[in-house]
Amino acid sequence: MKTKAASSVPRHVAIIMDGNGRWAQIRGLPRIKGHEQGAEAVRECVEGCGELKIEFLTLYAFSAENWQRPKPEVFALMHLLERFLKQKTPELLKKNVRLQAIGRLTDLPPACQYQLHKSIETTAGNNGLTLILALSYGGRLEIIDGIKSLLREVEAGHIDSAMIEPEMFSKHLYTRYYPDPDLLIRTSGEMRLSNFLLWQLSYTEIYVTPKLWPEFTRHDLFAAVEEFSQRQRRYGAVA
Ligand code: FPP
């Protein structure tokens, strides 16, 4: 692939929103207060993306592994998600944001699924930022689901297995309608991918900030985008 400089604004930003629990713990608050404050940071970040004219924002809101958290925390997170969607959909509509979701969505509680699909439908006609929530999402599970989907096509005789290429496989992932992320942001200083978009992040620029997610503001987003604009993306070629 041809060498090129990063364009100043990424088309697609993906974020691992980490540190809600620590934010609450430092303040002697229950963890759910950190998640509630985290939902406010989501709002701030969506507005920042709108200002920068970023086209796609994918947020790791609930991983497939998060089901292993204590039941009351999982329950509270699902309730928060449902409430967030109910309350913020009019705002998303006004801001021309189109909501989408990836992951094993049928794992979510029925009330949550109902609200999610309602919000997706309500915002379907918008053509500004596409906000993609990763819910009950796991990168390895997505790859397995993609392989199963591809195998069904091979078995039906639609595809010859010798013809399988990365581009074709990408069309069997949850993210088939979106470009790969240009920039991945992770908060709270951890240097891990945590099973997020494993296939799609192959050539993505990574930016880690020590800030905890509930403290993340649009200015932190601008700082990440500014650093991104200084990077040279080589896609494995020579500069
Ligand atoms: C990680 O922090 C965050 C999560 C597991 C959930 C993210 C959820 C939100 C930001 C709020 C709800 C989202 C939406 C879209 C309404 P952590 O709990 O792992 O933090 P810790 O590592 O400090 O314990």
Side-chain angles (χ1 to χ4, degrees), residues 106-174:
T106 51
D107 291 349
L108 300 173
C112 221
Q113 286 187 50
Y114 173 79
Q115 186 55 51
L116 181 66
H117 291 300
K118 201 168 159 191
S119 300
I120 289 174
E121 258 175 50
T122 309
T123 61
N126 289 348
N127 60 7
L129 173 72
T130 297
L131 169 62
I132 305 153
L133 297 182
L135 295 164
S136 193
Y137 174 87
R140 288 182 175 179
L141 283 179
E142 180 184 27
I143 291 170
I144 298 282
D145 284 348
I147 292 170
K148 287 180 183 164
S149 157
L150 204 51
L151 278 179
R152 280 194 294 273
E153 299 233 351
V154 172
E155 280 160 13
H158 301 316
I159 296 176
D160 175 352
S161 61
M163 310 276 285
I164 298 173
E165 295 281 354
E167 287 282 300
M168 184 190 285
F169 184 61
S170 297
K171 300 286 173 238
H172 289 265
L173 296 172
Y174 307 150

Side-chain angles (χ1 to χ4, degrees), residues 17-22 31 35 38-39 42 60-61 66 69 73 77 80-81 84 133 213:
M17 310 182 287
D18 195 14
N20 293 353
R22 272 162 284 174
R31 292 177 58 83
H35 297 312
V42 167
Y60 205 4
N66 285 156
R69 290 192 175 201
E73 183 173 344
L77 268 168
L80 176 63
L81 176 68
F84 174 90
L133 297 182
W213 176 252

